[in-house]
Amino acid sequence: MDLKAAQMFVAAVRAGSLSAAAAKTRTPLATFSRNVRQLEMELGVQLLERSARGIKLTDAGMQLYEHASRGIDALVEGELAVTSRGQALKGRLRLSIPPSFEPWWELLASFQREHPDIQVAVYTTERAVDLSTEGIDVALRIGPVVHESLVAKQLLRYRHVLVASPGLVQRFGIPTNPDDLLALPSGIWVRDPNAHRPWRLGEREFEPTPILAVNDYLHLRQRAIHGDIVAELPPFLAAEALRDGRLVPLLPDHPFPEQQVSLLYQRQQHPSRVVRAYLEYCQRAVVRYIGSGEVKL
């Protein structure tokens, strides 16, 4: 297999089109297209489906990409290891994190202060990205992870908290059990606007009737602080408002289930030096999980 053609194939997949890859690598588009077609002829299979909107991997293309991308990344890593011995760590780091995950913003800033020559690209999304096809090095994921092609390093666990403003509690009273929440206006986080999930409060499952349903916890926090709703929030988003009294916790004896936070990367023998540095930094940074639910980084 021609190495240059394989490199161009991987670059095209990561860029989303032959023209974008050609522009990114400053290679004539005709050269890019010719090399990829020659690779397909050499292997006797179609690797890419081409259209005006870009390219799409065939099944054979997906198989080749999964193997070739790791090999090419390993070659690049080997070159960097040889040429940058004794020098500051350099390279690109492509990450995926959930929306509103504020602790990670500061962690990434701190990581880059320690490694100023590492360029970080962050893709914020609530969906489970395909690391291989979307060119992501490490994804931060909440919830259980079962995927044979991925390594999951669990970092911490936490529980969401139910909160409201002191003003709302004064108007409606302090709930003493989940049934009391029926009298309070609530706001919920949803992944699908047509599917509301119940709150699991201790041993009880409670189905709120929300006046607000959004897929943004920062939006919920703002409305809760303003006294409009009772809301379920990640602890790190509620911690400051709980400390200064803008929010108060509700039903602490009916805790939400634990959430698991993991870092995911592709299963391979030797992650790059940049990826290893990031994984090790994250494990050092998440030093403890406070009983109140606040994550200290």
Side-chain angles (χ1 to χ4, degrees):
M1 182 188 302
D2 183 82
L3 177 58
K4 180 176 288 188
Q7 289 174 316
M8 290 185 177
F9 165 71
V10 169
V13 174
R14 289 176 173 172
S17 71
L18 293 172
S19 57
K24 187 174 181 179
T25 59
R26 299 181 180 180
T27 304
L29 177 58
T31 302
F32 235 89
S33 182
R34 182 174 64 253
N35 275 271
V36 172
R37 288 193 182 280
Q38 287 177 346
L39 181 61
E40 290 177 317
M41 292 175 61
E42 178 185 349
L43 297 174
V45 293
Q46 183 179 358
L47 300 173
L48 301 173
E49 294 178 358
R50 300 156 176 84
S51 70
R53 292 177 295 179
I55 56 175
K56 181 180 177 182
L57 283 167
T58 63
D59 289 343
M62 176 67 75
Q63 288 182 314
L64 178 63
Y65 176 78
E66 289 179 352
H67 292 281
S69 60
R70 291 197 295 266
I72 289 169
D73 287 344
L75 285 173
V76 171
E77 174 64 18
E79 180 181 359
L80 286 172
V82 170
T83 59
S84 62
R85 291 181 66 183
Q87 299 177 5
L89 199 58
K90 297 180 180 180
R92 294 182 64 235
L93 182 63
R94 296 155 296 190
L95 306 175
S96 171
I97 65 173
S100 306
F101 212 83
E102 283 187 336
W104 233 249
W105 303 348
E106 178 53 36
L107 183 147
L108 291 177
S110 178
F111 175 74
Q112 285 194 283
R113 285 192 287 270
E114 186 169 305
H115 300 286
D117 293 323
I118 293 180
Q119 300 172 330
V120 177
V122 179
Y123 177 45
T124 300
T125 179
E126 63 194 33
R127 69 180 179 85
V129 298
D130 186 319
L131 274 62
S132 177
T133 59
E134 299 187 45
I136 300 296
D137 296 311
V138 186
L140 184 73
R141 193 161 300 173
I142 301 171
V145 178
V146 180
H147 199 300
E148 62 181 12
S149 69
L150 299 176
V151 176
K153 286 190 173 296
Q154 183 179 316
L155 289 180
L156 55 93
R157 291 177 176 271
Y158 65 83
R159 297 178 190 270
H160 283 195
V161 291
L162 194 65
V163 296
S165 72
L168 187 143
V169 170
Q170 187 175 15
R171 293 200 312 272
F172 291 93
I174 299 175
T176 58
N177 62 72
D179 291 334
D180 292 344
L181 295 174
L182 291 171
L184 281 68
S186 62
I188 63 171
W189 184 92
V190 293
R191 188 184 303 276
D192 180 348
N194 300 311
H196 296 174
R197 61 180 176 84
W199 286 341
R200 184 73 183 179
L201 299 168
E203 300 301 316
R204 289 282 306 279
E205 197 168 83
F206 175 76
E207 187 76 48
T209 303
I211 66 167
L212 175 69
V214 298
N215 66 340
D216 187 341
Y217 281 115
L218 292 176
H219 191 167
L220 286 178
R221 182 178 67 179
Q222 182 211 46
R223 294 292 298 273
I225 289 173
H226 286 177
D228 299 326
I229 57 172
V230 172
E232 167 201 2
L233 294 177
F236 46 82
L237 291 185
E240 183 178 345
L242 288 170
R243 282 196 300 269
D244 62 26
R246 288 176 295 160
L247 292 174
V248 294
L250 302 180
L251 300 177
D253 294 333
H254 295 76
F256 283 96
E258 281 193 332
Q259 300 270 15
Q260 174 181 315
V261 180
S262 305
L263 290 176
L264 274 63
Y265 59 95
Q266 294 184 63
R267 187 177 297 280
Q268 57 192 58
Q269 276 192 314
H270 301 291
S272 72
R273 290 175 65 221
V274 169
V275 167
R276 289 199 305 273
Y278 173 67
L279 294 172
E280 292 167 3
Y281 187 88
C282 292
Q283 290 178 308
R284 292 197 308 269
V286 181
V287 291
R288 65 183 182 273
Y289 180 66
I290 304 302
S292 65
E294 183 181 358
V295 178
K296 291 287 188 182
L297 297 176

